[in-house]
Amino acid sequence: MRIGLIGLGRIGAFHAATLADLSTVDTLVVADAVPAAVEKVVAALGATAAGSLEELLAAVDGVVVAAATDAHPKLILAAVEAGVPVFCEKPVARDAAEAADVLRRVEASAVPVQIGYNRRFDAGVVAARAAVISGELGRLHTVRSTTMDPAPPPAGYLAGSGGIFRDCSVHDFDIVRFVTGREVVEVYATGCAHGDPVFAASGDVATATAVLTLDDGTLGVVSNTRYHGRGYDVRLELHGSLDTVAAGLEDRLPVRSVEPGVTFPAGRAHQSFMDRFGPAYRAELAAFTEVVAGTRPSPCTVADAVEAGWIAEACTLSLREHRPVRLEEVRTPTPA
Ligand SMILES: NC(=O)c1ccc[n+]([C@@H]2O[C@H](COP(=O)([O-])OP(=O)(O)OC[C@H]3O[C@@H](n4cnc5c(N)ncnc54)[C@H](O)[C@@H]3O)[C@@H](O)[C@H]2O)c1
C-alpha cells in the first residue's frame, strides 16, 4: 500500500518511522513546508519526496496529515476532494466551529477520515472502557483524566495551538467520551499562567483543571499542565460504586510516593508522548491502513473530534469568564 505523509515535525517524523515499519506499507511519499525536514526523512527511511500536494495525493492510496494544526482543514479537504482516505492528527482545526465546517464537507463525501486521538488505541484505556461496558465498576460516578507535559512545547508551536484546552486537554475530553460512551453537558474550567510569560501574553494558561458534567450525571475531572518536571504523566482513573480502575498506573508513572517503604513506581519515568504511547501510535496507524483497505470504518471520526472540540470551546469560555458553561451555549447547530 502507498501512504503519503504531510508534516514531518515532532509527531510527523515519529509517524514516518512507524509507517515505514508497517508490513502493509510498501511506499512512503512525504512532504513538509521545510525542505530540510523532507531530506532528513528521505535519507533515513528511503521515503520518496513529493513535489507538490497534488503530486502526493495522485501517488498514494491514503494520506497521513501531521502538519501544524492551522493546515489541517485545507489538507483534509484536499485529500477528500481527491478521493484519498485521510488520517489527520488532532485537532481537526484551530477551533470547533471551523472543525464543524470540515465535518459538513467530509460528511458530504464517502471518503473515510480518521482523527489521531491515539489514546483510543492504548491497551490500558481499552481495558478501562471494557470495565465500564461490562458493568464491573457498578455505577460510574467519577472519571479523572490527567495529561501533564514535562515542559512546554516551543513558543512557535504554542502560538498556533489555540490554547491548552484545544491543544492538550482535548485528548482528555475525547477519552472521557470514549470510555464512558456519554456526552458532556456542562463544564467549569480554571487555570493559571505560572511559568513562561508567553502564556499570560497570549491569554493562555500553563496549568488547568476542568470539571465536566456528563449527561447521566457522572463527573469528570481533567487536569493538565505544561510543567511536570518528573515526566510525561497521562493517567485515566474510573471510580464506580463497586470498583476503581486506572490506566497508566504502571512502573514508569512519573510520580514519587512519599509513603515510607513504598517503592512503586520504580521504573524510569516517561518523558514524552513518544515513549508513553509508542504502541498506541503504531496501532492507530495500522488501523488506518485497514481503513484505507476498506476493511474497517474510521475508529475515530471527524464527528467524534468535533464533539471533543466543543468541550474545549466551552472550557476556553469558562476560563475566560470564570463561570460554568453549558455545551449548547458554544455548539454551532449542525444543519439537517
Ligand atoms: N496525537 C498526539 O499525541 C500528538 C502529539 C504531538 C502533536 N500532535 C499534533 O500534530 C500536529 C503537529 O504537531 P508537531 O508537534 O509535530 O508540530 P511541529 O511544529 O513539530 O511540526 C509541524 C510540521 O508541519 C510542517 N507544516 C506546517 N504546515 C504545513 C503545510 N501546509 N504543508 C506541509 N507541512 C507543513 C512544519 O514545517 C513542521 O515540520 C499538531 O496538530 C498537533 O496537535 C498530536
Side-chain angles (χ1 to χ4, degrees):
M1 172 181 298
R2 303 163 306 164
I3 296 290
L5 172 60
I6 305 173
L8 302 167
R10 290 187 309 168
I11 195 77
F14 189 78
H15 284 338
T18 305
L19 287 165
D21 194 49
L22 291 180
S23 60
T24 42
V25 176
D26 44 44
T27 304
L28 184 61
V29 185
V30 297
D32 192 285
V34 176
V38 176
E39 284 157 24
K40 210 169 152 188
V41 171
V42 167
L45 301 172
T48 306
S52 66
L53 176 59
E54 294 69 29
E55 188 185 305
L56 183 144
L57 291 175
V60 298
D61 304 304
V63 64
V64 172
V65 174
T69 298
D70 280 2
H72 292 180
K74 177 185 145 224
L75 294 171
I76 292 172
L77 293 173
V80 166
E81 272 161 35
V84 177
V86 198
F87 172 99
C88 183
E89 263 307 337
K90 50 60 63 179
V92 173
R94 275 285 295 272
D95 63 44
E98 191 183 8
D101 188 50
V102 172
L103 173 62
R104 279 187 280 278
R105 295 164 71 180
V106 164
E107 283 187 338
S109 94
V111 178
V113 181
Q114 178 181 342
I115 304 301
Y117 282 107
N118 52 293
R119 293 181 197 179
R120 291 177 175 230
F121 294 88
D122 176 72
V125 168
V126 169
R129 182 172 186 252
V132 173
I133 292 169
S134 73
E136 67 201 68
L137 302 184
R139 174 71 176 86
L140 184 69
H141 52 76
T142 305
V143 180
R144 293 178 203 276
S145 186
T146 302
T147 305
M148 301 206 172
D149 291 329
Y157 176 93
L158 280 175
S161 71
I164 198 165
F165 298 116
R166 297 183 182 111
D167 179 59
C168 175
S169 330
V170 73
H171 277 291
D172 302 282
F173 303 151
D174 179 66
I175 224 59
V176 168
R177 292 186 67 245
F178 178 70
V179 295
T180 62
R182 312 300 314 188
E183 298 297 350
V184 172
V185 292
E186 186 181 82
V187 308
Y188 176 70
T190 187
C192 70
H194 292 166
D196 193 316
V198 72
F199 291 104
S202 59
D204 196 0
V205 292
T207 299
T209 291
V211 176
L212 316 177
T213 304
L214 277 57
D215 56 8
D216 65 347
T218 300
L219 298 178
V221 183
V222 170
S223 188
N224 307 109
T225 188
R226 302 291 195 182
Y227 292 98
H228 189 260
R230 198 168 178 82
Y232 182 64
D233 183 1
V234 176
R235 259 179 291 159
L236 178 70
E237 293 149 18
L238 304 178
H239 304 272
S241 55
L242 297 179
D243 201 2
T244 286
V245 293
L249 189 63
E250 39 94 13
D251 241 15
R252 298 190 60 191
L253 178 69
V255 171
R256 181 166 60 91
S257 174
V258 291
E259 293 299 329
V262 173
T263 55
F264 174 84
R268 188 173 52 82
H270 287 296
Q271 289 304 316
S272 74
F273 46 81
M274 279 88 149
D275 75 64
R276 170 72 173 83
F277 286 116
Y281 290 125
R282 188 182 176 87
E284 71 171 355
L285 290 174
F288 177 58
T289 63
E290 293 167 27
V291 171
V292 173
T295 55
R296 71 181 288 175
S298 169
C300 184
T301 63
V302 179
D304 284 320
V306 168
E307 207 46 49
W310 290 129
I311 304 167
E313 297 306 323
C315 287
T316 304
L317 183 63
S318 175
L319 171 77
R320 195 184 312 137
E321 299 193 353
H322 214 66
R323 66 177 175 89
V325 172
R326 293 195 60 84
L327 265 282
E328 65 245 23
E329 196 182 326
V330 294
R331 195 183 272 116
T332 310
T334 310

